[in-house]
Amino acid sequence: MGKLEGKTALVTGASRGIGRATAQRLAEEGALVAVHYASNDEAAAETVALIEKDGGRAFAVRAELGVPGDVHELFLGLEQGLRERTGTTTLDIVVNNAAAQTAAGLAPEDVTPEDFDRLMAVNAKAPFFIVQRASSQLADNGRIINISSGVTRVANPEQLAYSMSKGAIEQLSLHMARHLAPRGITVNSVAPGITDNGSPVFDVPEIVEAMSQLSAFKQVAKAQDVANVVAFLATEDARWITGAFIDASGGTLLG
Ligand code: NDP
Protein backbone atom coordinates (compact mmCIF):
# COMPACT_ATOMS: atom_id res chain seq x y z
CA MET A 1 0.00 0.00 0.00
CA GLY A 2 1.28 3.47 -0.91
CA LYS A 3 2.11 6.02 1.78
CA LEU A 4 -0.55 8.44 0.56
CA GLU A 5 -3.45 6.02 0.12
CA GLY A 6 -6.78 7.80 0.63
CA LYS A 7 -5.19 11.29 0.45
CA THR A 8 -6.05 14.05 -1.99
CA ALA A 9 -3.52 16.43 -3.50
CA LEU A 10 -3.38 19.58 -5.59
CA VAL A 11 -0.22 20.14 -7.63
CA THR A 12 -0.13 23.47 -9.43
CA GLY A 13 1.69 23.57 -12.76
CA ALA A 14 1.51 19.81 -13.13
CA SER A 15 1.17 19.63 -16.91
CA ARG A 16 4.94 19.27 -17.31
CA GLY A 17 8.33 19.40 -15.64
CA ILE A 18 8.71 19.08 -11.88
CA GLY A 19 4.96 19.48 -11.36
CA ARG A 20 4.18 16.55 -13.63
CA ALA A 21 6.79 14.34 -11.95
CA THR A 22 5.41 15.34 -8.55
CA ALA A 23 1.84 14.56 -9.56
CA GLN A 24 2.99 11.15 -10.82
CA ARG A 25 4.95 10.45 -7.64
CA LEU A 26 2.09 11.42 -5.30
CA ALA A 27 -0.32 9.30 -7.35
CA GLU A 28 2.12 6.39 -7.25
CA GLU A 29 1.88 6.59 -3.43
CA GLY A 30 -1.91 6.38 -3.71
CA ALA A 31 -3.09 10.01 -3.66
CA LEU A 32 -5.88 11.28 -5.89
CA VAL A 33 -4.16 14.19 -7.66
CA ALA A 34 -5.61 17.39 -9.12
CA VAL A 35 -3.31 18.23 -12.03
CA HIS A 36 -3.48 21.99 -12.33
CA TYR A 37 -2.23 23.89 -15.41
CA ALA A 38 -2.57 27.22 -17.20
CA SER A 39 -3.33 26.63 -20.85
CA ASN A 40 -1.76 23.49 -22.27
CA ASP A 41 -4.79 21.13 -22.21
CA GLU A 42 -2.93 18.42 -24.09
CA ALA A 43 0.02 18.34 -21.70
CA ALA A 44 -2.26 18.23 -18.65
CA ALA A 45 -4.30 15.40 -20.21
CA GLU A 46 -1.03 13.57 -20.83
CA THR A 47 -0.07 13.87 -17.14
CA VAL A 48 -3.46 12.44 -16.16
CA ALA A 49 -3.09 9.64 -18.73
CA LEU A 50 0.41 8.74 -17.48
CA ILE A 51 -0.91 8.51 -13.92
CA GLU A 52 -3.90 6.40 -14.94
CA LYS A 53 -1.70 4.11 -17.03
CA ASP A 54 0.22 3.33 -13.84
CA GLY A 55 -3.00 2.60 -11.96
CA GLY A 56 -3.25 6.00 -10.22
CA ARG A 57 -6.07 8.53 -10.01
CA ALA A 58 -5.97 12.12 -11.25
CA PHE A 59 -8.00 14.83 -12.92
CA ALA A 60 -7.04 18.06 -14.66
CA VAL A 61 -7.95 21.56 -13.46
CA ARG A 62 -7.36 24.56 -15.68
CA ALA A 63 -6.85 28.05 -14.23
CA GLU A 64 -4.40 30.73 -15.24
CA LEU A 65 -2.71 32.13 -12.14
CA GLY A 66 -1.70 35.76 -11.84
CA VAL A 67 -4.94 37.17 -13.22
CA PRO A 68 -8.02 38.43 -11.34
CA GLY A 69 -10.21 35.61 -10.06
CA ASP A 70 -7.44 33.03 -10.57
CA VAL A 71 -7.65 31.24 -7.23
CA HIS A 72 -11.43 31.21 -7.26
CA GLU A 73 -11.44 29.58 -10.70
CA LEU A 74 -8.85 27.03 -9.58
CA PHE A 75 -10.89 26.06 -6.53
CA LEU A 76 -14.12 25.76 -8.51
CA GLY A 77 -12.52 23.11 -10.71
CA LEU A 78 -10.67 21.51 -7.82
CA GLU A 79 -13.72 21.22 -5.58
CA GLN A 80 -15.88 19.87 -8.39
CA GLY A 81 -13.26 17.24 -9.25
CA LEU A 82 -12.82 16.21 -5.63
CA ARG A 83 -16.56 16.11 -4.92
CA GLU A 84 -17.22 13.90 -7.98
CA ARG A 85 -14.56 11.41 -6.93
CA THR A 86 -14.63 11.45 -3.13
CA GLY A 87 -17.96 13.01 -2.18
CA THR A 88 -16.15 15.78 -0.25
CA THR A 89 -13.82 18.70 -0.96
CA THR A 90 -11.27 17.69 1.66
CA LEU A 91 -7.71 18.30 0.60
CA ASP A 92 -4.64 16.75 2.24
CA ILE A 93 -1.71 18.02 0.20
CA VAL A 94 -1.06 21.30 -1.64
CA VAL A 95 2.04 21.70 -3.79
CA ASN A 96 2.56 25.27 -5.00
CA ASN A 97 4.76 24.50 -7.99
CA ALA A 98 3.53 26.66 -10.92
CA ALA A 99 5.74 29.65 -11.56
CA ALA A 100 6.49 32.32 -14.10
CA GLN A 101 10.13 32.62 -15.18
CA THR A 102 12.15 35.46 -16.66
CA ALA A 103 14.15 35.42 -19.86
CA ALA A 104 17.77 34.42 -19.27
CA GLY A 105 20.18 37.31 -19.06
CA LEU A 106 17.74 39.98 -17.89
CA ALA A 107 19.75 42.66 -16.08
CA PRO A 108 18.11 44.37 -13.09
CA GLU A 109 18.11 47.61 -15.11
CA ASP A 110 15.92 45.97 -17.75
CA VAL A 111 13.17 44.57 -15.52
CA THR A 112 9.94 46.39 -16.28
CA PRO A 113 7.16 47.03 -13.76
CA GLU A 114 5.02 44.64 -15.83
CA ASP A 115 7.65 41.85 -15.59
CA PHE A 116 7.92 42.41 -11.86
CA ASP A 117 4.16 42.43 -11.28
CA ARG A 118 3.73 39.23 -13.30
CA LEU A 119 6.42 37.37 -11.34
CA MET A 120 4.96 38.48 -8.05
CA ALA A 121 1.39 37.71 -9.13
CA VAL A 122 2.11 34.15 -10.25
CA ASN A 123 4.94 33.15 -7.90
CA ALA A 124 4.00 34.90 -4.65
CA LYS A 125 0.46 36.27 -4.63
CA ALA A 126 -1.25 33.21 -6.15
CA PRO A 127 0.43 30.73 -3.74
CA PHE A 128 -0.51 32.98 -0.80
CA PHE A 129 -4.17 33.01 -1.75
CA ILE A 130 -4.13 29.31 -2.66
CA VAL A 131 -2.89 28.56 0.85
CA GLN A 132 -5.39 30.98 2.37
CA ARG A 133 -8.26 29.38 0.46
CA ALA A 134 -7.03 25.81 0.99
CA SER A 135 -6.46 26.13 4.71
CA SER A 136 -10.16 25.87 5.57
CA GLN A 137 -10.53 22.59 3.66
CA LEU A 138 -7.13 21.13 4.49
CA ALA A 139 -7.42 18.06 6.68
CA ASP A 140 -5.63 17.93 10.01
CA ASN A 141 -2.05 16.66 9.46
CA GLY A 142 -2.18 18.07 5.93
CA ARG A 143 0.83 19.18 3.94
CA ILE A 144 1.75 22.36 2.08
CA ILE A 145 4.90 22.27 -0.03
CA ASN A 146 6.04 25.43 -1.76
CA ILE A 147 8.53 25.15 -4.60
CA SER A 148 11.18 27.82 -4.29
CA SER A 149 14.57 27.87 -5.97
CA GLY A 150 18.25 27.73 -5.08
CA VAL A 151 18.53 31.26 -6.46
CA THR A 152 17.31 32.63 -3.14
CA ARG A 153 20.66 31.56 -1.65
CA VAL A 154 23.18 32.78 -4.26
CA ALA A 155 23.55 36.23 -5.78
CA ASN A 156 22.40 36.17 -9.39
CA PRO A 157 21.53 39.67 -10.64
CA GLU A 158 19.98 38.25 -13.82
CA GLN A 159 17.37 36.49 -11.70
CA LEU A 160 16.76 39.29 -9.21
CA ALA A 161 13.02 39.81 -9.64
CA TYR A 162 12.34 36.06 -9.93
CA SER A 163 14.43 35.44 -6.81
CA MET A 164 12.47 38.08 -4.92
CA SER A 165 9.26 36.25 -5.80
CA LYS A 166 10.78 32.98 -4.58
CA GLY A 167 11.94 34.67 -1.38
CA ALA A 168 8.31 35.56 -0.81
CA ILE A 169 7.13 31.95 -1.11
CA GLU A 170 9.73 30.92 1.48
CA GLN A 171 8.24 33.47 3.86
CA LEU A 172 4.84 31.95 3.17
CA SER A 173 6.21 28.59 4.34
CA LEU A 174 7.87 30.00 7.44
CA HIS A 175 4.95 31.94 8.85
CA MET A 176 2.18 29.55 7.83
CA ALA A 177 4.15 26.70 9.41
CA ARG A 178 3.60 28.24 12.83
CA HIS A 179 0.04 29.26 12.03
CA LEU A 180 -1.08 25.79 10.94
CA ALA A 181 1.01 23.71 13.35
CA PRO A 182 -1.82 23.37 15.91
CA ARG A 183 -3.65 21.30 13.29
CA GLY A 184 -0.61 19.13 12.54
CA ILE A 185 -0.28 20.71 9.09
CA THR A 186 3.31 21.14 7.91
CA VAL A 187 4.46 23.86 5.52
CA ASN A 188 7.86 23.65 3.85
CA SER A 189 9.85 25.08 0.95
CA VAL A 190 11.74 22.89 -1.51
CA ALA A 191 14.46 24.59 -3.53
CA PRO A 192 15.54 22.84 -6.72
CA GLY A 193 18.70 23.67 -8.63
CA ILE A 194 18.82 23.30 -12.39
CA THR A 195 16.33 20.57 -13.24
CA ASP A 196 15.49 19.06 -16.62
CA ASN A 197 11.88 20.10 -17.15
CA GLY A 198 11.72 18.79 -20.71
CA SER A 199 12.28 22.17 -22.32
CA PRO A 200 14.39 22.22 -25.52
CA VAL A 201 17.47 23.65 -23.81
CA PHE A 202 17.97 20.29 -22.10
CA ASP A 203 18.48 18.70 -25.54
CA VAL A 204 21.61 20.77 -26.22
CA PRO A 205 24.60 18.78 -24.87
CA GLU A 206 26.97 21.75 -24.50
CA ILE A 207 24.43 23.73 -22.48
CA VAL A 208 23.58 20.71 -20.32
CA GLU A 209 27.30 20.16 -19.72
CA ALA A 210 27.75 23.78 -18.60
CA MET A 211 24.69 23.63 -16.34
CA SER A 212 25.83 20.31 -14.86
CA GLN A 213 28.96 21.94 -13.46
CA LEU A 214 26.84 23.91 -10.97
CA SER A 215 25.79 20.83 -9.02
CA ALA A 216 28.18 19.03 -6.66
CA PHE A 217 27.23 15.86 -8.55
CA LYS A 218 28.06 17.49 -11.92
CA GLN A 219 24.63 16.66 -13.27
CA VAL A 220 21.39 18.49 -13.89
CA ALA A 221 18.55 17.05 -11.84
CA LYS A 222 15.81 14.92 -13.28
CA ALA A 223 12.34 16.21 -12.42
CA GLN A 224 11.87 12.98 -10.44
CA ASP A 225 14.76 13.91 -8.15
CA VAL A 226 12.81 16.90 -6.90
CA ALA A 227 9.48 15.04 -6.97
CA ASN A 228 10.90 12.41 -4.62
CA VAL A 229 11.74 15.09 -2.04
CA VAL A 230 8.29 16.63 -2.31
CA ALA A 231 6.65 13.22 -1.99
CA PHE A 232 8.61 12.48 1.17
CA LEU A 233 7.49 15.77 2.73
CA ALA A 234 3.90 14.81 1.89
CA THR A 235 4.05 11.61 3.93
CA GLU A 236 3.47 10.93 7.60
CA ASP A 237 7.21 10.13 7.87
CA ALA A 238 7.92 13.88 7.47
CA ARG A 239 5.52 15.08 10.15
CA TRP A 240 8.34 16.54 12.26
CA ILE A 241 9.63 18.85 9.51
CA THR A 242 7.88 22.19 9.23
CA GLY A 243 8.85 25.73 8.27
CA ALA A 244 11.98 24.32 6.66
CA PHE A 245 13.94 25.31 3.59
CA ILE A 246 14.87 22.03 1.92
CA ASP A 247 17.82 22.31 -0.43
CA ALA A 248 17.04 19.96 -3.32
CA SER A 249 19.70 21.40 -5.60
CA GLY A 250 22.11 18.45 -5.75
CA GLY A 251 24.67 20.39 -3.76
CA THR A 252 24.58 23.47 -5.99
CA LEU A 253 24.52 25.64 -2.88
CA LEU A 254 27.62 24.06 -1.35
CA GLY A 255 29.73 26.60 -3.21
P1 NDP B 1 7.79 24.29 -16.24
O1 NDP B 1 8.11 25.62 -16.85
O2 NDP B 1 8.29 23.07 -16.90
O3 NDP B 1 6.22 24.15 -16.04
C1 NDP B 1 5.51 25.20 -15.53
C2 NDP B 1 4.15 24.71 -15.12
O4 NDP B 1 3.47 25.79 -14.49
C3 NDP B 1 3.29 24.26 -16.27
O5 NDP B 1 2.41 23.26 -15.79
C4 NDP B 1 2.49 25.52 -16.60
O6 NDP B 1 1.21 25.23 -17.21
C5 NDP B 1 2.31 26.11 -15.22
N1 NDP B 1 2.20 27.55 -15.24
C6 NDP B 1 3.12 28.44 -15.67
N2 NDP B 1 2.63 29.70 -15.55
C7 NDP B 1 1.38 29.57 -15.04
C8 NDP B 1 0.35 30.49 -14.72
N3 NDP B 1 0.49 31.81 -14.89
N4 NDP B 1 -0.80 30.00 -14.23
C9 NDP B 1 -0.98 28.68 -14.05
N5 NDP B 1 -0.05 27.76 -14.34
C10 NDP B 1 1.12 28.20 -14.83
O7 NDP B 1 8.30 24.39 -14.72
P2 NDP B 1 9.53 23.67 -14.00
O8 NDP B 1 9.22 22.24 -13.84
O9 NDP B 1 10.80 24.10 -14.62
O10 NDP B 1 9.51 24.39 -12.56
C11 NDP B 1 8.63 23.98 -11.55
C12 NDP B 1 8.92 24.79 -10.31
O11 NDP B 1 10.28 24.62 -9.93
C13 NDP B 1 8.73 26.29 -10.48
O12 NDP B 1 8.24 26.83 -9.28
C14 NDP B 1 10.14 26.80 -10.73
O13 NDP B 1 10.29 28.15 -10.37
C15 NDP B 1 10.93 25.87 -9.83
N6 NDP B 1 12.33 25.72 -10.21
C16 NDP B 1 12.64 25.10 -11.40
C17 NDP B 1 13.96 24.94 -11.74
C18 NDP B 1 14.38 24.26 -13.01
O14 NDP B 1 15.58 24.25 -13.31
N7 NDP B 1 13.47 23.68 -13.78
C19 NDP B 1 15.06 25.43 -10.87
C20 NDP B 1 14.60 26.03 -9.64
C21 NDP B 1 13.28 26.17 -9.34
P3 NDP B 1 1.02 25.13 -18.84
O15 NDP B 1 1.70 23.86 -19.27
O16 NDP B 1 -0.44 25.08 -19.07
O17 NDP B 1 1.69 26.36 -19.39
Side-chain angles (χ1 to χ4, degrees), residues 36-57:
H36 161 265
Y37 67 107
S39 58
N40 193 338
D41 300 313
E42 212 174 297
E46 197 178 310
T47 303
V48 172
L50 286 166
I51 288 171
E52 289 176 341
K53 184 168 71 67
D54 289 340
R57 294 200 306 154

Side-chain angles (χ1 to χ4, degrees), residues 12-19 36-41 43-44 63-66 96-101 118 122-123 147-151 162 166 191-199 202 223:
T12 68
S15 51
R16 49 200 163 90
I18 293 169
H36 161 265
Y37 67 107
S39 58
N40 193 338
D41 300 313
E64 184 181 352
L65 300 176
N96 274 310
N97 166 79
Q101 323 275 347
R118 173 100 187 125
V122 178
N123 300 0
I147 307 302
S148 182
S149 168
V151 293
Y162 170 77
K166 290 300 190 180
I194 294 179
T195 306
D196 186 344
N197 59 7
S199 66
F202 290 96

